[in-house]
């Protein structure tokens, strides 16, 4: 296969296998499934060993189908029928209008000319008409057809029309006449299950329990299992039905393998590939979603995906939907509308396309146009909830909580037995912190759909939150689980109020805006509950997050159930609260990178050396993100360092804006975003630059920062690579062997010539450490001091100097160690060790004010560490601050309730206070 074609489309088998990423295959799957992943492989896609050039459907189809087609007892007509059924037809197989129409529906080309031929089965034609939005016409065409497929098509057409009473009547026929369920036709069972799944949206749980239980989730899954295990072990429609049902329950780990098998039994199924695209979108794998959309375009066009350029294909119906959903996931409303445009012109009555068009308009914050589009949708499907649900979902993802709630409530009013609007509404209310409303919505959602994973997890969370205690201050409500967590919770309000003044004020980059109401800070007892709090699913790789009015954080503890252990919670919460403030000021309308940049800026902490090195590599290798890719890197990094680079680069660009245009410029940009301006227009207005110009000028500014950081030498001074090249040229001229790397002698010569060269100084320190065995001695101190000055972001000389002064023969020199420990402590986020050492050093020199400040910082970074509390208590006593000492010892009685010594110390302090 040509390399160019390979770049346009993923291998079919590999793309199918992607669906099983992070999950094990159910034991009931047949037809030689791929090898199951072992424990170490569970987080990456299952990998098989197909031919690397396998792209055609014929090559990718399940081995069981190939084996059956090779059986000698089959007639050619039977083989032809099998090829059509499994989506691996040849051109010769499509020799009748019926065959061409059937294939067109499978591959998602609903405008194929064969579908207009009246000799084609009305059921096939009706399927395409429903996709085109010709709903009444489809119902009329198959009126009187009481086959499972005929009934299912009428159910789906009536659903899209918003005629929910008629949906109930039509779908209930499957309950009254269940012959389809016990027969040997797997497609009939799949049709029946599909219709009954729609019935669950129009009948509440009480009705289902009172009537036939066939429409319950377990029963539906059982019917599909019977279809693929007894009726037809190679049925792709049954497996697709399983994937669809599991997806509706937000159960992707099981839905993925089911869809994998469906596509192996029919590699040409546009419905199957579209579902694969939706899975990719939900996981924010937007690159994979685009590849799936390209495949859908090729399948719809009826071309071999290995022999065509993606750009040469017209967008398909299903491909456009996948692209639109992907762009909406990336907050790209204009891009979503662009993806829909050409296909909407061909399918102007398609309800799915029209609903997405309204959602795309909402994502652009075009309120009047969104209302007009919804009105137009209502004119052809009065009473339908689908468009309102799509708009509500998108606005919720954009954190437009109040507007989103209105649309979701309208969807729920129109379809009161459909769980989806209540689930989305409940999840929205969880994020917005309105727990009573969240509880009501989620209880309704779970009553209607007890198998939905996100709804169930979120309901458990809201019920758990009702057991939490809370502490209120002027601007915050701190909520925590009763027990040991109150040790931290009681200390938070005073520090949070101080943080509030910094973030919302006008000092040094403050946002100059106060959000309405109190912000809720929720102290979640472990990582599991924190994850559920943020997303409804217990798999999130962070420790704190802001949803706007709520900031949730995992308790900074060591031990099982905690992601990172101790951390500087105040710095982390300051970052998240900055999100709360900026999102409120801008009505949640600002680029992802910009809100993260503002939050990092207001952490008020210097960059770590590793961050500076990361930025230097990106700048020097031309791999800084553009202003589109940086947003994607936060949520879907392509390589391990992408997310870290996105945070660091965003902060760097924000710093550049403040330095060049002043601290008001970011605020002016925020106000432009709040008014609905896109980034390009806002930058042009405030900064006078296009996005491209901004990025280029930022890069030039960044080169100067690398020099200031001591990563690169000053202009006109050669770097080490250039110095080594000069030495090699000199050696060649002298006829001697050039050195391949800097030797100690070379470094000594360079240092004599360039005594403040940052790279050479680092090399010189390395050679000195070889001499001393890795620890600084007195002779190294001047060199280390020079290195620290020339490399002001490098922690290496600071650590060596701090250790030297603390371990010096004759006793520690605390005063000399302090500035180096301060350098390290201000950058440390996960350990109290530097702060505790500083407290001891300040105590040693009699500076009890700073000793107390550092002891308190230690208890902030590691609040559940008894050693930090004991140190703070002893410093407080030395300062004669009995209330502070009492507070620390009370904390110790809660952290170590079985230690009698703490109770005795507390009694002694209280006795001294009372004397």
């Amino acid at each position: 296969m040509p390399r160019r074609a390979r770049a346009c489309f993923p291998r079919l088998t590999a793309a199918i296998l992607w669906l099983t990423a992070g999950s094990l295959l159910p034991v009931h799957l047949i037809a030689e499934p791929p090898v199951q992943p072992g424990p170490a492989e569970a987080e990456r896609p299952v990998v098989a060993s197909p031919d690397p050039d396998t792209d055609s459907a014929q090559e990718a189809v399940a081995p069981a189908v190939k084996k059956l087609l090779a059986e000698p007892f089959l007639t050619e007509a039977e083989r032809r029928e099998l090829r059509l059924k499994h989506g691996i037809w040849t051109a010769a197989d499509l020799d009748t209008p019926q065959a061409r129409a059937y294939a067109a529906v499978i591959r998602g080309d609903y405008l194929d000319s064969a579908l207009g031929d009246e000799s084609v089965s009305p059921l096939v034609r009706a399927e395409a008409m429903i996709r085109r939005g010709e709903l009444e016409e489809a119902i009329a065409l198959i009126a009187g057809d009481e086959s499972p497929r005929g009934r299912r098509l009428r159910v789906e057409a009536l659903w899209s029309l918003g005629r929910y009473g008629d949906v109930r009547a039509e779908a209930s026929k499957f309950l009254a006449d269940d012959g389809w369920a016990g027969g040997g036709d797997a497609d009939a069972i799949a049709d029946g299950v599909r219709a009954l799944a729609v019935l669950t949206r129009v009948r509440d749980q009480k009705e289902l329990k009172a009537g036939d239980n066939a429409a319950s989730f377990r029963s539906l899954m059982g019917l599909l299992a019977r279809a693929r295990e007894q009726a037809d072990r190679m049925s792709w429609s049954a497996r697709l039905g399983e994937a669809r049902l599991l997806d509706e329950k937000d159960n992707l780990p099981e839905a993925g393998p089911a869809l994998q098998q469906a596509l192996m039994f029919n590699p040409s199924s546009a419905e199957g590939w579209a579902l694969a695209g939706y899975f990719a979108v939900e996981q924010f794998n937007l690159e994979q979603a685009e590849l799936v959309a390209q495949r859908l375009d090729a399948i719809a066009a009826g071309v071999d995906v290995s022999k065509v350029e993606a750009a040469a294909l017209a967008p398909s119906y299903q491909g456009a939907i996948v692209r639109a959903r992907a762009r909406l996931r990336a907050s790209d409303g204009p891009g979503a509308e662009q993806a829909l445009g050409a296909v909407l012109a061909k399918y102007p009555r398609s309800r799915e396309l029209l609903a997405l068009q309204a959602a795309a308009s909402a994502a652009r914050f075009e309120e009047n146009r969104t209302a007009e589009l919804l009105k137009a949708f209502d004119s052809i499907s009065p009473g339908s909830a689908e468009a309102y649900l799509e708009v509500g979902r998108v606005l919720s993802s954009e954190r437009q909580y109040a507007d989103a709630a209105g649309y979701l409530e309208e969807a729920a009013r129109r379809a009161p037995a459909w769980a989806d609007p209540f689930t989305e509404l409940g999840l929205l209310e969880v994020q917005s912190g309105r727990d009573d409303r969240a509880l009501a919505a989620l209880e309704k959602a779970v009553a209607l759909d007890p198998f939905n994973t996100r709804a169930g997890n979120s309901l458990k969370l809201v019920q758990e939150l009702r057991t939490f205690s809370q502490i209120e201050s002027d601007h915050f409500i701190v909520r925590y689980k009763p027990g040991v967590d109150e040790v931290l919770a009681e200390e938070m309000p005073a520090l949070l109020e101080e943080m509030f003044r910094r973030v919302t004020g006008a000092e040094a980059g403050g946002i100059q805006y106060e959000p309405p109401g109190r912000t809720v800070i929720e102290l979640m007892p472990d990582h599991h509950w924190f994850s559920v709090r943020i997303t409804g699913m217990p798999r999130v790789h962070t420790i704190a997050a802001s949803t706007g009015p709520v900031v949730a954080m995992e308790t900074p503890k060591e031990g099982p159930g905690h992601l990172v252990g101790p951390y500087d919670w105040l710095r982390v919460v300051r970052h998240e609260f900055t999100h709360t403030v900026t999102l409120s000021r801008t009505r949640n309308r600002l680029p992802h990178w910009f809100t993260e940049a503002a939050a990092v800026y207001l952490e008020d902490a210097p960059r770590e050396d590793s961050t500076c090195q990361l930025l230097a590599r990106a700048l020097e290798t031309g791999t800084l993100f553009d202003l589109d890719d940086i947003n994607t890197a936060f949520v879907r990094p392509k390589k391990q360092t992408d997310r870290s680079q996105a945070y660091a680069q965003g902060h760097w660009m924000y710093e550049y804006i403040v330095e060049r245009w002043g601290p008001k410029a970011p605020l002016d940009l925020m106000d432009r975003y709040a008014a609905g301006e896109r980034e390009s227009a806002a930058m042009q207005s405030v900064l006078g630059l296009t996005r491209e110009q901004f990025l280029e000028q930022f890069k030039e500014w960044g080169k100067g920062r690398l020099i200031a950081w001591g990563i690169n030498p000053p202009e006109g001074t050669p770097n080490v690579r250039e110095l080594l090249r000069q030495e090699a040229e000199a050696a060649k001229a002298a006829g001697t062997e050039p050195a391949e790397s800097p030797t100690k002698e070379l470094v000594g010569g360079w240092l004599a010539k360039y005594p403040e060269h940052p790279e050479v100084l680092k090399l010189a320190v390395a050679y000195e450490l070889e001499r001393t065995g890795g620890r600084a001695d007195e002779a190294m101190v001047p060199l280390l001091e020079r290195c620290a000055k020339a490399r002001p972001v490098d922690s290496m000389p600071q650590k060596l100097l701090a250790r030297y002064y603390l371990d010096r023969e004759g006793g520690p020199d605390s005063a000399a160690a302090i500035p180096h420990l301060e350098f390290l402590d201000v950058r440390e986020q996960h350990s109290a060790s530097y702060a505790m050492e500083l407290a001891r050093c300040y105590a040693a020199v009699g500076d009890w004010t700073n000793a107390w400040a550092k002891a308190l910082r230690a208890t902030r970074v590691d609040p559940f560490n008894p050693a930090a509390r004991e140190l703070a208590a002893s410093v407080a006593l030395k300062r004669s601050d009995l209330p502070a000492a009492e507070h620390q010892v009370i904390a110790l009685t809660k952290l170590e309730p079985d230690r009698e010594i703490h109770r005795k110390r507390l009694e002694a302090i209280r006795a001294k206070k009372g004397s």
Side-chain angles (χ1 to χ4, degrees):
M1 184 177 69
R3 179 177 299 175
R4 181 179 61 181
R6 230 184 244 140
C8 294
F9 297 99
R11 293 200 315 268
L12 180 60
T13 307
I16 292 173
L17 293 179
W18 161 78
L19 296 166
T20 64
S23 61
L24 299 179
L25 299 178
V27 295
H28 62 256
L29 295 182
I30 63 169
E32 300 179 30
V35 177
Q36 296 184 16
E41 300 171 343
E43 294 303 319
R44 61 176 185 266
V46 181
V47 178
S49 300
D51 179 345
D53 288 333
T54 296
D55 268 290
S56 71
Q58 285 82 0
E59 292 174 309
V61 75
V65 177
K66 295 179 184 179
K67 183 178 179 181
L68 180 58
L69 285 168
E71 293 292 349
F73 58 79
L74 290 178
T75 67
E76 184 52 39
E78 289 171 331
R79 289 193 180 89
R80 173 181 177 274
E81 184 178 347
L82 277 172
R83 287 193 294 269
L84 283 169
K85 177 178 180 179
H86 291 285
I88 54 173
W89 51 76
T90 65
D93 294 332
L94 305 180
D95 57 354
T96 66
Q98 175 67 24
R100 290 196 299 275
Y102 174 86
V105 170
I106 293 298
R107 58 187 173 81
D109 180 8
Y110 309 114
L111 295 172
D112 190 283
S113 60
L115 291 165
D117 193 312
E118 293 190 1
S119 68
V120 172
S121 163
L123 291 171
V124 174
R125 290 156 56 201
E127 186 99 45
M129 293 168 75
I130 290 172
R131 290 292 186 181
R132 296 196 299 263
E134 299 162 11
L135 305 176
E136 294 91 344
E137 296 91 330
I139 293 171
L141 180 63
I142 57 174
D145 187 320
E146 295 301 324
S147 67
R149 187 177 185 186
R151 290 175 177 174
R152 187 264 294 175
L153 290 172
R154 283 195 295 275
V155 166
E156 292 179 344
L158 291 166
W159 169 261
S160 292
L161 284 166
R163 290 165 52 182
Y164 298 148
D166 293 335
V167 170
R168 185 182 298 110
E170 188 67 39
S172 294
K173 293 178 182 178
F174 284 95
L175 302 178
D177 174 14
D178 62 358
W180 57 275
D185 187 341
D187 289 339
I189 295 174
D191 282 325
V193 168
R194 194 161 164 173
L196 289 174
V198 178
L199 177 61
T200 63
R201 304 175 193 169
V202 295
R203 296 178 66 189
D204 63 31
Q205 198 70 15
K206 183 178 179 181
E207 286 180 296
L208 290 173
K209 288 180 180 178
D212 194 319
N213 196 41
S216 73
F217 172 68
R218 287 196 179 113
S219 295
L220 295 182
M221 291 296 289
L223 287 168
L224 291 170
R226 182 191 305 166
R228 60 173 163 70
E229 291 175 358
Q230 299 177 20
D232 181 358
R233 292 176 67 80
M234 293 189 293
S235 170
W236 65 271
S237 60
R239 289 170 171 81
L240 183 58
E242 286 180 311
R244 188 182 290 110
L245 274 179
L246 289 163
D247 175 52
E248 287 180 4
K249 312 305 175 189
D250 287 307
N251 188 348
L252 183 57
E254 291 186 43
L259 181 55
Q260 173 207 5
Q261 290 291 311
L263 288 171
M264 290 179 71
F265 283 110
N266 188 342
S268 297
S269 168
E271 280 194 76
W273 280 108
L275 191 56
Y278 304 158
F279 288 177
V281 171
E282 286 305 303
Q283 297 175 89
F284 220 100
N285 193 340
L286 305 186
E287 181 178 332
Q288 182 71 31
E290 175 57 30
L291 291 172
V292 171
Q294 291 174 9
R295 180 166 293 279
L296 283 163
D297 295 343
I299 291 172
V303 299
D304 188 332
V305 297
S306 67
K307 299 176 181 177
V308 65
E309 285 274 14
L313 296 170
S316 63
Y317 178 92
Q318 297 284 14
I321 291 172
V322 170
R323 285 190 183 92
R325 291 193 182 280
R327 292 173 189 180
L328 287 172
R329 193 84 166 95
S331 299
D332 182 6
E337 288 217 59
Q338 182 183 28
L340 294 168
V343 178
L344 252 176
K346 297 177 182 177
Y347 297 91
R349 295 167 63 188
S350 165
R351 302 309 194 270
E352 188 169 12
L353 294 174
L354 291 170
L356 285 171
Q357 182 187 36
S361 174
R364 300 181 69 167
F365 309 120
E366 297 174 341
E367 297 174 8
N368 292 337
R369 181 164 175 265
T370 301
E372 291 170 2
L373 290 170
L374 288 172
K375 183 178 180 181
F377 190 96
D378 272 345
S379 70
I380 56 174
S381 284
S384 173
E386 289 187 281
Y388 285 89
L389 178 61
E390 292 286 2
V391 170
R393 276 175 174 158
V394 166
L395 288 175
S396 177
S397 71
E398 297 294 330
R399 304 190 187 195
Q400 306 293 301
Y401 295 132
D403 291 342
Y407 289 110
L408 293 172
E409 287 167 356
E410 177 61 17
R413 185 191 69 78
R414 293 176 175 224
W418 190 16
D420 283 17
F422 292 101
T423 299
E424 295 295 335
L425 183 59
L427 294 171
L428 176 155
E429 298 295 4
V430 167
Q431 305 311 322
S432 64
R434 298 186 294 193
D435 291 339
D436 289 343
R437 299 180 67 169
L439 180 66
L442 290 168
E443 284 180 337
K444 180 69 172 178
V446 171
L448 292 170
D449 184 0
F451 295 94
N452 186 284
T453 305
R454 284 198 306 159
N457 283 336
S458 294
L459 177 58
K460 290 175 186 175
L461 168 77
V462 174
Q463 292 168 337
E464 176 76 5
L465 288 175
R466 293 172 73 86
T467 70
F468 278 30
S469 299
Q470 69 181 42
I471 302 171
E472 298 185 9
S473 65
D474 290 345
H475 300 100
F476 296 94
I477 299 173
V478 177
R479 303 175 68 179
Y480 63 95
K481 188 176 180 65
V484 71
D485 288 356
E486 73 178 2
V487 169
L488 173 58
E490 290 175 349
E491 295 175 341
M492 294 177 75
L495 293 169
L496 291 172
E497 290 297 334
E498 182 181 339
M499 174 198 75
F500 180 91
R501 292 187 289 273
R502 168 70 184 98
V503 174
T504 63
E507 176 194 351
I511 307 302
Q512 300 184 33
Y513 173 85
E514 295 188 8
R518 290 173 174 159
T519 300
V520 177
I521 310 294
E522 290 182 346
L523 192 57
M524 305 310 294
D526 56 34
H527 185 66
H528 170 85
W529 281 113
F530 165 73
S531 307
V532 175
R533 179 66 182 85
I534 297 305
T535 66
M537 299 293 286
R539 285 174 299 194
V540 175
H541 305 291
T542 186
I543 51 176
S546 168
T547 63
V550 176
V551 173
M553 58 176 282
E554 178 184 334
T555 53
K557 292 179 185 173
E558 289 280 7
H562 293 278
L563 187 65
V564 298
Y567 62 89
D568 185 347
W569 69 264
L570 185 59
R571 176 174 171 179
V572 170
V573 171
R574 187 160 57 237
H575 177 109
E576 300 303 333
F577 179 64
T578 302
H579 287 320
T580 296
V581 177
T582 57
L583 291 172
S584 179
R585 175 169 177 150
T586 63
R587 300 175 63 197
N588 300 297
R589 299 174 180 181
L590 72 171
H592 193 156
W593 79 263
F594 194 87
T595 186
E596 295 295 351
V600 177
Y601 188 87
L602 279 167
E603 288 179 25
D604 290 338
R607 288 181 183 84
E608 296 180 24
D609 181 39
S610 59
T611 301
C612 297
Q613 296 292 342
L614 176 65
L615 290 170
R617 284 193 301 273
L619 179 58
E620 293 176 343
T621 59
T623 55
L624 286 174
F625 298 119
D626 64 28
L627 294 179
D628 292 320
D629 289 342
I630 191 172
N631 294 314
T632 304
F634 284 106
V635 289
R636 192 69 194 184
K638 294 179 181 178
K639 59 182 188 292
Q640 189 174 3
T641 58
D642 277 3
R643 185 178 285 114
S644 296
Q645 181 182 320
Y647 278 103
Q649 182 183 329
H651 177 209
W652 211 20
M653 292 191 294
Y654 194 95
E655 185 178 67
Y656 170 58
I657 292 172
V658 171
E659 182 174 310
R660 178 171 172 182
W661 287 276
K664 189 172 181 295
L667 306 182
D668 291 341
L669 284 169
M670 290 181 198
D671 293 340
R672 296 271 179 177
Y673 297 139
E677 280 191 26
R678 308 300 294 183
E679 185 176 60
S680 56
M683 279 193 163
Q684 188 73 62
S685 299
V686 175
L687 309 182
L689 300 175
T690 65
R691 298 200 313 164
E692 294 74 20
Q693 290 170 333
F694 169 81
L695 200 59
E696 287 306 309
Q697 294 183 24
F698 159 70
K699 290 175 184 177
E700 287 301 312
W701 172 85
K703 293 176 183 177
R705 302 307 301 160
L706 300 190
I707 296 172
W709 293 341
I711 292 175
N712 287 344
E715 289 287 341
T717 301
N719 60 32
V720 166
R721 289 190 302 274
E722 292 166 341
L723 288 170
L724 197 60
R725 191 188 70 248
Q726 291 172 8
E727 295 291 344
E729 290 172 354
K732 183 178 179 181
T736 58
E737 190 71 22
E740 294 183 0
S741 60
T743 64
K744 184 175 182 180
E745 291 71 22
L746 286 177
V747 170
W750 294 341
L751 194 59
K753 187 174 182 179
Y754 303 105
E756 307 305 323
H757 195 298
E759 293 176 291
V760 174
L761 282 164
K762 186 171 184 178
L763 289 170
V765 169
Y767 276 117
E768 281 294 287
L769 290 174
E770 283 186 7
R771 174 184 64 80
T772 63
R775 298 178 71 89
D777 60 13
E778 186 174 0
M780 282 185 65
V781 171
L783 178 64
L784 289 171
E785 295 283 6
R786 285 165 59 196
C787 185
K789 183 178 180 181
R791 302 177 61 85
V793 300
D794 193 347
S795 61
M796 178 269 294
Q798 307 287 349
K799 288 180 179 179
L800 289 168
L801 286 165
R803 178 51 52 200
Y804 166 74
Y805 287 120
L806 291 174
D807 293 346
R808 200 168 64 163
E809 288 185 20
D813 185 343
S814 298
I818 283 173
H820 307 295
L821 289 170
E822 286 282 11
F823 178 98
L824 298 168
D825 183 50
V826 75
R827 290 162 174 80
E828 179 56 55
Q829 298 185 60
H830 296 285
S831 172
S833 57
Y834 291 129
M836 293 174 72
E837 193 62 57
L838 275 164
R840 297 185 189 101
C841 287
Y842 279 118
V845 300
D847 185 346
W848 293 106
T849 298
N850 279 315
W852 176 238
K854 288 301 173 178
L856 281 182
R857 170 164 161 75
T859 65
R860 190 177 77 219
V861 175
D862 199 355
F864 301 97
N865 181 356
R869 295 288 176 178
E870 290 197 11
L871 176 63
S874 66
V875 172
L877 288 172
K878 288 288 187 179
R879 299 176 71 235
S880 300
D881 189 343
L882 294 178
E886 180 183 29
H887 173 84
Q888 297 300 330
V889 176
I890 289 173
L892 283 165
T893 65
K894 295 175 182 177
L895 295 174
E896 297 179 322
D898 297 332
R899 293 196 64 191
E900 182 66 16
I901 186 66
H902 298 323
R903 187 184 63 78
K904 290 181 178 179
R905 287 172 177 167
L906 183 60
E907 290 174 354
I909 291 171
R910 286 175 172 170
K912 193 171 183 180
K913 280 178 66 180
S915 62

